[in-house]
């Protein structure tokens, strides 16, 4: 069998689209009314790959000014090599944050392009170890009244999703009652998770953990800032039995995850494929977790994360986040939908990640 010839990258295009949310939303530390999608297309040998990140227009500037020229002419069949090229290119810009998100979008596009050039599904290209990726429903914003909260969470359970998550931390005094309302809506049919987005102080978070345990909360995400590794470790040591402490969605590179794991800060780290340097980056985080036999949870961007999740050995689940679910259905044809048992199952018969951009539908939301 003769070796495949290189497929030089011909072009890199980027667009930015800001889509209003269906209602104003908030969590413990932020209020928002729109979500911005940075969409990247990389072409080689007459084929195009698509990637994206949830960031701002500045990430598109990084793609256009810092990354496109670096990967131009490089072999599209070797995404990890292009990933290394991009990491070197942003050395003086600073890797965590916008640069990491920009690299993530291009890296996802490169992996999609490679799979399409070889006419194989992304899960095959990544070396899947499972057929599907377990999910949990995520939303439950602090801006919701109790009826909306109960309806959303119960709706996911009716769809067969056995894990649901709500936001807390905006009004700590009201949080126990909101959590109790959520538990009453789902009964014993599903696990209940809460996410404070770093809103609590250490002792406040510990007191809340004790109250949440009364409602059998199984997962307490970012009870304190994800930068407070000592505080996370404290919560992990003192949280009620059966309650896992989680954080990591704002990890942008391997050194952060190494520190997170070394500190024993969480029971289950999280990684976001659109932030953590793309598919290549998340696979490396997965290797760190494999070495310690620690589960990894994937954060958001379900249409890409579902494919990556099949290739992670110690995967726990994927966050099926309301805003991203809604936007990805607007932006793409070929989206995956939950199947019985609360999983997303990638189509091995579709090349790449199987998504096709609905350009006409997105165009009214273009901002750059």
């Amino acid at each position: 069998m003769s070796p495949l010839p290189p497929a030089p990258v011909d072009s890199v295009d980027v667009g930015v689209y800001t889509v209003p949310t269906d209602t104003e939303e908030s969590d413990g530390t932020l209020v928002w009314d729109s979500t911005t999608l940075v969409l990247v297309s990389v072409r080689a040998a007459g084929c195009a790959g698509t990637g994206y990140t949830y960031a701002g227009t500045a990430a598109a500037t990084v793609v256009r000014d810092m990354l496109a020229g670096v990967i131009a002419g490089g072999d599209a069949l070797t995404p990890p090599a292009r990933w290394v090229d991009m990491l070197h290119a942003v050395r003086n810009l600073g890797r965590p944050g916008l640069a990491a998100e920009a690299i993530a979008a291009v890296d996802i596009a490169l992996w999609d392009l490679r799979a399409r050039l070889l006419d194989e599904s992304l899960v095959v290209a990544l070396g899947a170890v499972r057929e599907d990726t377990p999910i949990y429903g995520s939303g439950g914003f602090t801006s919701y009244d109790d009826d909306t909260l109960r309806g959303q969470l119960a709706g996911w359970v009716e769809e067969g999703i056995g894990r649901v998550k709500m936001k807390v931390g905006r009004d700590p005094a009201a949080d126990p009652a909101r959590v109790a309302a959520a538990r009453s809506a789902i009964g014993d049919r599903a696990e209940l998770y809460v996410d404070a987005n770093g809103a609590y102080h250490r002792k406040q978070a510990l007191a809340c953990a004790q109250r949440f345990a009364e409602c059998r909360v199984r997962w307490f995400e970012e009870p304190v800032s994800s930068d407070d590794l000592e505080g996370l470790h404290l919560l992990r040591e003192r949280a009620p039995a059966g309650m896992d402490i989680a954080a990591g969605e704002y990890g942008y590179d391997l050194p952060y995850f190494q520190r997170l794991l070394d500190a024993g800060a969480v029971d289950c780290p999280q990684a976001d494929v659109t932030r953590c340097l793309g598919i290549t980056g998340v696979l490396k985080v997965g290797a760190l977790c494999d070495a310690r036999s620690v589960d990894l949870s994937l954060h958001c961007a379900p249409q890409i994360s579902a494919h990556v999740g099949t290739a992670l050995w110690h995967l726990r689940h994927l966050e099926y986040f309301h805003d991203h679910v809604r936007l990805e259905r607007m932006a793409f044809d070929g989206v995956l939908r939950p199947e019985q048992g609360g999983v997303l199952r990638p189509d091995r018969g579709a090349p790449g990640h199987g998504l096709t951009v609905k350009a006409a539908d997105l165009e009214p939301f273009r901002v750059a």
Side-chain angles (χ1 to χ4, degrees):
M1 182 177 179
S2 59
L4 288 172
V9 171
D10 296 325
S11 64
V12 179
D13 296 315
V14 60
V16 185
Y17 308 87
T18 295
V19 180
T21 53
D22 51 10
T23 184
E24 184 178 85
E25 298 169 352
S26 64
D27 57 30
T29 54
L30 189 67
V31 179
W32 66 96
D33 60 9
S34 64
T35 303
T36 298
L37 178 75
V38 179
L39 189 65
V40 171
S41 175
V42 180
R43 298 191 65 87
C47 191
T50 302
Y52 57 92
T53 185
Y54 292 102
T57 55
T61 300
V62 175
V63 172
R64 185 183 64 245
D65 295 351
M66 300 290 294
L67 305 180
V70 170
I71 68 168
D75 187 4
L77 293 172
T78 55
R82 307 289 71 76
W83 184 82
V84 171
D85 292 339
M86 291 189 287
L87 258 62
H88 288 317
V90 302
R91 187 195 69 180
N92 292 346
L93 186 64
R95 188 171 59 216
L98 281 171
E101 291 169 334
I103 290 172
V106 178
D107 183 75
I108 292 166
L110 283 165
W111 274 104
D112 181 44
L113 175 56
R114 178 192 184 276
R116 291 175 188 266
L117 286 168
L118 298 178
D119 194 27
E120 63 185 15
S121 69
L122 186 55
V123 294
V124 171
L126 296 177
V129 296
R130 58 175 54 82
E131 295 292 325
D132 51 43
T133 295
I135 60 173
Y136 65 88
S138 172
F141 303 110
T142 58
S143 51
Y144 285 176
D145 60 30
D146 283 357
D147 286 343
T148 304
L149 172 68
R150 284 191 289 256
Q152 186 184 66
L153 271 57
W156 283 321
V157 176
E158 292 299 326
E159 290 180 35
I161 299 174
R163 297 162 291 269
V164 296
K165 189 175 80 177
M166 60 179 289
K167 300 291 190 180
V168 295
R170 174 68 48 177
D171 181 359
D175 283 338
R178 291 183 65 250
V179 171
R183 174 52 75 187
S184 70
I186 64 174
D188 295 325
R189 297 174 296 165
E191 294 182 356
L192 180 59
Y193 297 174
V194 299
D195 181 0
N197 290 97
Y200 297 133
H201 301 298
R202 294 180 186 181
K203 289 184 178 180
Q204 188 181 39
L206 185 58
C208 287
Q210 300 293 338
R211 294 293 305 275
F212 297 158
E214 297 171 9
C215 293
R216 303 185 304 286
V217 167
R218 178 73 179 81
W219 169 280
F220 195 173
E221 184 175 327
E222 285 193 312
V224 296
S225 168
S226 56
D227 293 324
D228 183 8
L229 301 187
E230 183 178 295
L232 288 169
H233 175 77
L234 173 74
L235 267 294
R236 184 188 178 202
E237 290 292 304
R238 299 188 183 182
M243 180 183 292
D244 282 351
I245 302 300
E249 67 183 71
Y250 296 108
Y252 291 98
D253 57 10
L254 282 176
Y256 173 82
F257 287 96
Q258 183 68 53
R259 293 192 298 272
L260 186 75
L261 292 166
D262 284 346
V266 294
D267 295 290
C268 183
Q270 300 167 280
D272 187 323
V273 70
T274 69
R275 290 176 182 161
C276 184
L277 300 170
I279 292 172
T280 304
V282 169
L283 292 178
K284 293 179 184 298
V285 174
L288 288 178
C289 293
D290 292 343
R292 298 168 182 259
S293 296
V294 171
D295 283 350
L296 177 63
S297 179
L298 294 179
H299 176 262
C300 296
Q303 295 304 319
I304 299 300
S305 298
H307 294 260
V308 180
T310 65
L312 295 174
W313 182 15
H314 287 91
L315 174 75
R316 182 172 298 190
H317 44 40
L318 157 65
E319 182 168 2
Y320 195 64
F321 181 54
H322 171 73
D323 288 2
H324 293 183
V325 170
R326 176 176 173 268
L327 196 155
E328 289 170 3
R329 287 178 180 175
M330 293 172 61
F332 305 111
D333 284 321
V335 296
L336 305 173
R337 295 179 182 270
E339 297 187 11
Q340 193 58 37
V343 300
L344 294 180
R345 188 185 307 274
D347 180 2
R348 288 178 178 245
H353 49 47
L355 300 175
T356 303
V357 178
K358 297 196 287 190
D361 291 353
L362 273 180
E363 193 59 32
F365 303 105
R366 181 186 288 272
V367 294

